[in-house]
Amino acid sequence: MQTRDIFANISPLDHRYSRDEDDYAEISKYLSEKATIALQAEVELALIKVLAARGLAPQTAPAEVEKAIAELTTAEVYAEEAKTKHNIRALVNCLQKKVSKKCRPFLHFTATSYDIVDTANSLRYQKTARELILPRLKKLHKSWAEIAFREKDRVQIGRTHGQHAVPITFGFTIAEYVARLGERIEEIEAKTDKLVGKFAGAVGAYNASSIFFDDPEAFEKEVLAELGLKAGEHSTQIVQAEPMTDFVHTLVSTFSVLAAFADDMRQLQRSEIAEIGEFFAKDQVGSSTMPHKRNPINYENVKSLWKAFMPQMTTVYLDQLSEHQRDLTNSASSRFIPELITALLSAVSRLTRVSSKMVVDQKNMQKNFEQNKKMIVAEPLYILLAAAGHPDAHEAVRKLTLEAQKTDLSLKELVAQSKELKGYWENFRDLQKEIILKPEKYTGIAAQKTEKIVKNWQKKFAYELQLEV
Amino acid sequence: MQTRDIFANISPLDHRYSRDEDDYAEISKYLSEKATIALQAEVELALIKVLAARGLAPQTAPAEVEKAIAELTTAEVYAEEAKTKHNIRALVNCLQKKVSKKCRPFLHFTATSYDIVDTANSLRYQKTARELILPRLKKLHKSWAEIAFREKDRVQIGRTHGQHAVPITFGFTIAEYVARLGERIEEIEAKTDKLVGKFAGAVGAYNASSIFFDDPEAFEKEVLAELGLKAGEHSTQIVQAEPMTDFVHTLVSTFSVLAAFADDMRQLQRSEIAEIGEFFAKDQVGSSTMPHKRNPINYENVKSLWKAFMPQMTTVYLDQLSEHQRDLTNSASSRFIPELITALLSAVSRLTRVSSKMVVDQKNMQKNFEQNKKMIVAEPLYILLAAAGHPDAHEAVRKLTLEAQKTDLSLKELVAQSKELKGYWENFRDLQKEIILKPEKYTGIAAQKTEKIVKNWQKKFAYELQLEV
Amino acid sequence: MQTRDIFANISPLDHRYSRDEDDYAEISKYLSEKATIALQAEVELALIKVLAARGLAPQTAPAEVEKAIAELTTAEVYAEEAKTKHNIRALVNCLQKKVSKKCRPFLHFTATSYDIVDTANSLRYQKTARELILPRLKKLHKSWAEIAFREKDRVQIGRTHGQHAVPITFGFTIAEYVARLGERIEEIEAKTDKLVGKFAGAVGAYNASSIFFDDPEAFEKEVLAELGLKAGEHSTQIVQAEPMTDFVHTLVSTFSVLAAFADDMRQLQRSEIAEIGEFFAKDQVGSSTMPHKRNPINYENVKSLWKAFMPQMTTVYLDQLSEHQRDLTNSASSRFIPELITALLSAVSRLTRVSSKMVVDQKNMQKNFEQNKKMIVAEPLYILLAAAGHPDAHEAVRKLTLEAQKTDLSLKELVAQSKELKGYWENFRDLQKEIILKPEKYTGIAAQKTEKIVKNWQKKFAYELQLEV
Amino acid sequence: MQTRDIFANISPLDHRYSRDEDDYAEISKYLSEKATIALQAEVELALIKVLAARGLAPQTAPAEVEKAIAELTTAEVYAEEAKTKHNIRALVNCLQKKVSKKCRPFLHFTATSYDIVDTANSLRYQKTARELILPRLKKLHKSWAEIAFREKDRVQIGRTHGQHAVPITFGFTIAEYVARLGERIEEIEAKTDKLVGKFAGAVGAYNASSIFFDDPEAFEKEVLAELGLKAGEHSTQIVQAEPMTDFVHTLVSTFSVLAAFADDMRQLQRSEIAEIGEFFAKDQVGSSTMPHKRNPINYENVKSLWKAFMPQMTTVYLDQLSEHQRDLTNSASSRFIPELITALLSAVSRLTRVSSKMVVDQKNMQKNFEQNKKMIVAEPLYILLAAAGHPDAHEAVRKLTLEAQKTDLSLKELVAQSKELKGYWENFRDLQKEIILKPEKYTGIAAQKTEKIVKNWQKKFAYELQLEV
């Protein structure tokens, strides 16, 4: 076994962002090179099983191969590859050495390397999605749903262009991400299901398998079924690029949703806004020279990882092009998809951790809301005037707000002073007047909508909300 | 009307790639600024209709607004915007001037700009997809299906790494793209259907509409239904970014499939390969100094446009981030999506044109096939030997091929001379021997599979193949 | 002349972002298709001049060609291209028709299309840089230098992670961009100078020209010298990709500096920060429903355009690859570089306009500074303690700040109360004590450095600062 | 020491592409996390040295810190960071524990974390460039120069659009890359020199250092001088982004040149072209099922790595934006630059290896040249006719070539048969006639130019060519 000090590694994913060894071991089970070889061996085993079932390979072959795989080490395969210069041939050679003479010819029988490589990769990403990505995303989703539900009635000023607009609730702010992430999770699920394998030989025309089988497509179907996979409609030496392209797109676009959330939260942590905070460990150092700072480092980290990996989608689009029945220029590049997934998983874990510790600063949230309170109702006032038949309500209110900014008077007071507008006011319904007088009521259906969204996903993803009582 | 010499335009899409004025006019109907304003007006109209139906706006309002829209010019809206510095307010002002006093207040009633802008955009892209992109892609798809079907039995050497591998048929080569493009078309259809509108007000909490309606979500639903749209689960000032992100991804990934096809075809046109050609107009000049050249300019152009527009996906991912209830930094950037679509449509038209004129050079295809004929059967020979129990078939055949390259003997002859291999040969079935002797038989199920794929899509897309008899 | 309603155009650069017709006309002179043809004709003219000077072409030829060019229209060339399907051949044909029989053979003599196309493009971008981009950037630079100088002493809280850190001055904030933009301008200048032309024929080996000239490289040099250009060290059919790649990189990285500035400024305009503002025109509408808002739309627009065009660098990198002596897949894609430049120019104009109207809100800047005043001095206190020999100064101050946050006491008061720290305090120098007592003094050399930077660039770019007295 | 099976790593750079342990150790010395910490410690040491020289820190301090650094382990720093949650504070704490009480306060004195981090990074990339990247690129460059020189006279058909154009020599083909790579090497050198450090404190205004030093900029200069670095004109918490942006751009654009070369070479290895080959190790397996194949896997790998890493430039552009005096969203992302460099180094090593083994197949190069021999001279013929006053030479030759393709006659023979052209022919000079008769002479100055380019770089980079005699 070739070991190495982890701090001698190049990729931050193999040192800095993998310090939790348990977590790393779990990810490594799917995304390391060891996992790659193990999954390829699993595909070779599926083949043997079908050949035995069809009576070509000896009945003992599956058990023999299973045993061989158990004994196989990655280092051994790499040592063999150093000789043959061919990774799959190396794997096959290693396995062949471990099985009986009778079994030997049926290893890799009628297969081309990429029947193994691409099928193993689809298997890998399907497992990774189902066993790692989706469960972890749902855990994060749940923690957001909990915040949204808990905060559904807490009034917050809504912001557009970084400017105070009209009120919402903080729960509604979070409900945006409950909805967006929920929908992304469903999309990842859908595209995971569509990942395909192949067993169609060197150029996809089943040349080799059709020498032995009348129904090479049925044969392919059986091998893939062993792995829980389906075949695409057409393959060349490789599977069609698009299922994988779509799958990575769902991951990248999910990563963007996490980055959007992180950006929102770190902005809400600004000194002047300070509506939320991260729990701050007793010994944690905010800055090496400024001990008083409370940096949104976790949110910054998530945004930063997204910046590092989002552009990888360009690589995936480039890999959709492969000359004729394939060139190999997608081989090295596609080996970096595990990095993208690891970075995504790191961001998910971090956000889950930090979301569970999110603290709302009610005082500041209130203070910010109050800041432009009298301006907030400009919108409902304008609309009520318009509905009441004012011919140029927008302009009238615009002038009123300029006036309100110059004086200490509220919009309501200015309306009362205005001959032109007074008459309209008196015709407003009580509820409508109330909104002008109490801007904190002007939150529309923020609370109900938040509850509706949270319950929708709670039901879909079948989790219980843990709410503080 | 502000007119301009088209050659004074900056974008190649507005001069060089829009010389067919009929085609340009059709695209412009959906993707120009004129179209933008028209679609936004259409959304304002939908709103008025619902307000009238609900008894708020006068019954004559819809007709009034319809008439106002008919009279509206883009230049007029822009002139108004120059004053107000706000595009939607400008539109509303222009419309208000054209309707009765009674109708006026109900224009834009309870709406925020982006209720209009984003809804109009979803409407635009839905229409563009259904009326332009999908029909044109299906036309291209049909032309590929026709080539695939026509060429399903024509033997071609399969290539991996640019090296001769094992045989396929030219139809099978094209069937790859029939399958890939077909599947992309379905994906575009699916994501087009998922584009959403919104009518939820300034920050998405229905603040304004809830002053007037007990059921603001139902009200939103009615307005959008007028346009054939649905609402997303949650919106802020803007619709959720992901439906549009997914939609653009389907376009970009489709563009990549076109580029992949173009790359394959231009490589097949190389002087040394020359298996296909573009029909060459009598007066066409191949090169300004080399009159004999036949350049694959159309395929090169498609690849080049793809290189220009594929990276725009990065912009779309960046636009998934918008601070709080939105910042405006996605406004200018998202205005360039029409360029991407126009470029895609240009590539589709070009490929459709050139595909319909594709000529196969049977002589060269045959010649290339013959070049490594004796090596081609290395694969089936190795597999047959392996299946027959040869302990190291791969290595044996590898040595044989090195031998074959050095001598003038075929693999078959070398097998016959080999004491070791002779015995195996005699046990091969006739059909298996035939493949070794006649490599052109070694095409697996290329022809059947091609036919199956073509028929699958022909049925799905309900078109008739026009085949030369 | 083929004219078109500008609102029928697809690209926002050809409608929305080109409404100032004077400005558009100026940009169009360099970056439109009309400009392309004109520049290509200019290269053909340079060739004729050298041929006449060398005695090959008739002495009257340059005048003839000059006259022909004056009569040439873009539409005419396009009409000819419709026949020949070759753009440069079309140009040459059109010119040939307009000159004498004797002159005709020397048009395009020994040239390949890309001798013309690539040379014309380098000429175009050199002119555009020198006559449009650089002067406009310097104008923007000057306006930033003026703000920096004017505001060099105005205390502002420095921010890291969006958190209050230690004080700077607002001039220093702007000086960052004076330095960064200044340095980018120099880099654009350097890479503009390095753009190269070529006159080396169809594959770059001077095949044709060497039939007629003993010194084809000297001949190339003379032709390019007519245009103020040099040749690269090696060319194929096209010039080496890297000079253009570097040039576009300088533009994209400059665009990022503009976006960084825009981002900073729009954040400073947040309702809660509100340290700067844009001058607000009397009739300007902030939002269609929220008349009181002051949106940082210009800064948002700049960031958005950057998001739209920054990814185009990927296209330029892709275009560095061109098979053998060239494939044509960089042709359409490189035609979009004028869009990037137009977008950059639009951002520059907008920022120049808005920078000249930038208003500082001294009250808010002061208020924000005060907010964490007592925490600000944590840093100098910790350093002074450390320097005075305190064994664990960082930790001591960290605890003190936590204490200060809980109480109403300043750090100074807490120090005074602390037995441990008191002794240190008494040993501080007066100037050092003053900083702890008056945090607004703790701006380091912000003002001097600002002045130094401004003066450095003022001298380099030779402009006068217009400062309000 | 936390060790790990290398095959448990995620990044292919930490397993598959780092199997040569010697090479990996060398790269790791610069680009691993271990290297990061070591370089940061080196910056802390530089600071202590200056403080001692200036008489603030004890004279023994530098030696103490040097010894502390020698004892420091990365694992120790990480363990401390787990407590403090701050990487640089962790480093400082670890060092402080190892030095005398008197020395302790001067560690990190007046510094902010990023004085250390950014300075250490600039130092790292400067060293990496000068000690790894540039020497290795020059080794590759030399190997290309050798091929170019050796092959400078070997006639090869020039290709544009994948079509045979006019002749060059194979040396000239390679000379393109000698020139392009040479110029990139110079650009990397230039941008390496421009990398800057900083010692300007928490927000760049020298707040802390100005408490102690009258000349904080001079102090900064001294610290950086210890490391061979200079300061930028302005810094905030971090150094200006652009020097690093430019540096990475030179790497990415160099990578593109390698990818361009790789693409050209793999295309020349196509079965139908087969002009060059890779040396094929005796035991190497071409394909798991097709033993006869000779795949251009090394060139494919280089292209593929480029596809994986070129898009990272987008990350670097994104990192040019950092709010106010900095946000931390460039922290994680910039940690991945070492991956880009490692991938580039891997591509360089691979190309150097394979270039040294490049074999030209003279027979095929000749055969391809012959294929369109009679068409090749269309260009010189047309130009000679034009120069001789033929009024429509291009068209005349175009027709002639169509004729030549239909018959077995050469262009020369067709000219001889043509009444119209015969007269012109007789007036051609001998040398000119020779070119029409012997197309292999029509290589322009390919050979001389190749020699000139090679000698230019040989002199600049001061290496000896090893040519086979």
Side-chain angles (χ1 to χ4, degrees), chain B residues 159-160 272 289 293 379, chain D residues 159-160 164 272 289 293 379:
Chain B
R159 291 169 176 95
T160 55
E272 294 89 351
T289 72
K293 290 179 59 194
E379 182 184 89
Chain D
R159 292 170 176 94
T160 56
H164 289 181
E272 294 89 351
T289 73
K293 288 181 60 193
E379 181 185 89

Side-chain angles (χ1 to χ4, degrees), chain A residues 95-202:
Chain A
L95 291 175
Q96 282 180 328
K97 283 177 203 155
K98 295 178 196 297
V99 297
S100 68
K101 260 198 173 169
K102 269 185 359 194
C103 176
R104 219 167 279 167
F106 298 101
L107 270 162
H108 201 65
F109 188 71
T110 77
T112 196
S113 307
Y114 268 73
D115 289 347
I116 309 304
V117 172
D118 269 8
T119 301
N121 264 330
S122 286
L123 184 60
R124 178 223 295 270
Y125 294 119
Q126 226 172 52
K127 283 187 176 190
T128 310
R130 290 177 185 156
E131 296 167 24
L132 277 187
I133 303 172
L134 289 163
R136 291 188 181 197
L137 279 173
K138 283 179 185 167
K139 202 174 149 201
L140 172 60
H141 191 267
K142 177 169 173 288
S143 105
W144 288 356
E146 286 166 357
I147 302 172
F149 197 85
R150 192 179 71 211
E151 304 288 338
K152 71 181 179 343
D153 298 307
R154 193 183 315 263
V155 176
Q156 184 191 30
I157 185 64
R159 292 170 177 94
T160 55
H161 315 255
Q163 304 294 305
H164 289 180
V166 292
I168 48 175
T169 67
F170 184 56
F172 183 78
T173 290
I174 302 298
E176 175 190 346
Y177 291 100
V178 174
R180 291 174 71 182
L181 182 59
E183 184 270 331
R184 282 297 90 187
I185 288 172
E186 289 190 327
E187 189 68 17
I188 296 174
E189 281 172 344
K191 296 311 185 200
T192 298
D193 292 350
K194 287 197 165 180
L195 289 171
V196 291
K198 68 158 290 223
F199 233 85

Side-chain angles (χ1 to χ4, degrees), chain D residues 160-371:
Chain D
T160 56
H161 315 256
Q163 304 293 307
H164 289 181
V166 293
I168 47 176
T169 67
F170 185 55
F172 184 78
T173 290
I174 301 298
E176 175 190 347
Y177 291 101
V178 173
R180 291 174 72 182
L181 182 59
E183 184 271 330
R184 282 297 91 188
I185 288 172
E186 289 190 325
E187 190 67 17
I188 295 174
E189 280 171 345
K191 296 311 184 197
T192 298
D193 292 350
K194 288 197 165 181
L195 289 171
V196 292
K198 66 158 292 221
F199 232 85
V203 293
Y206 305 81
N207 308 53
S209 52
S210 67
I211 310 180
F212 297 94
F213 309 117
D214 293 337
D215 52 352
E217 284 187 289
F219 170 68
E220 174 183 52
K221 213 172 160 178
E222 289 164 29
V223 176
L224 297 178
E226 287 287 333
L227 304 159
L229 284 168
K230 288 183 183 160
E233 188 183 29
H234 183 286
S235 48
T236 58
Q237 185 172 59
I238 51 178
V239 297
Q240 281 177 223
E242 286 69 39
M244 194 64 200
T245 306
D246 285 350
F247 176 70
V248 178
H249 162 72
T250 65
L251 302 182
V252 171
S253 58
T254 301
F255 214 150
S256 300
V257 172
L258 305 188
F261 177 85
D263 238 12
D264 269 11
M265 295 307 125
R266 75 182 179 88
Q267 295 293 353
L268 291 181
Q269 276 188 259
R270 281 181 170 281
S271 295
E272 294 89 351
I273 301 180
E275 298 189 354
I276 64 160
E278 288 184 49
F279 177 84
F280 197 67
K282 210 167 60 97
D283 295 323
Q284 190 172 336
V285 176
S287 146
S288 69
T289 73
M290 296 169 291
H292 62 280
K293 288 181 60 193
R294 305 289 178 268
N295 298 331
I297 51 170
N298 287 310
Y299 297 125
E300 290 169 323
N301 178 277
V302 168
K303 171 113 184 251
S304 195
L305 280 179
W306 168 78
K307 290 199 288 180
F309 286 95
M310 176 269 281
Q312 204 177 334
M313 193 65 207
T314 299
T315 305
V316 177
Y317 288 132
L318 290 171
D319 280 348
Q320 283 185 273
L321 279 70
S322 191
E323 285 168 15
H324 311 310
Q325 285 64 54
R326 86 84 58 105
D327 61 53
L328 200 77
T329 69
N330 72 333
S331 171
S333 44
S334 64
R335 288 176 177 276
F336 289 87
I337 292 171
E339 285 205 354
L340 166 66
I341 295 175
T342 304
L344 176 65
L345 288 171
S346 166
V348 171
S349 294
R350 193 179 285 266
L351 280 181
T352 306
R353 210 165 55 238
V354 80
S355 295
S356 72
K357 294 194 258 174
M358 186 190 287
V359 182
V360 175
D361 188 322
Q362 165 62 17
K363 225 176 91 190
N364 282 332
M365 205 171 268
Q366 177 83 22
K367 189 190 78 185
N368 293 334
F369 179 78
E370 303 280 340
Q371 184 185 330

Side-chain angles (χ1 to χ4, degrees), chain A residues 213-232:
Chain A
F213 309 117
D214 293 337
D215 52 353
E217 283 188 289
F219 170 68
E220 172 183 53
K221 212 171 163 179
E222 288 164 31
V223 174
L224 297 178
E226 288 287 333
L227 303 160
L229 284 167
K230 288 182 182 162

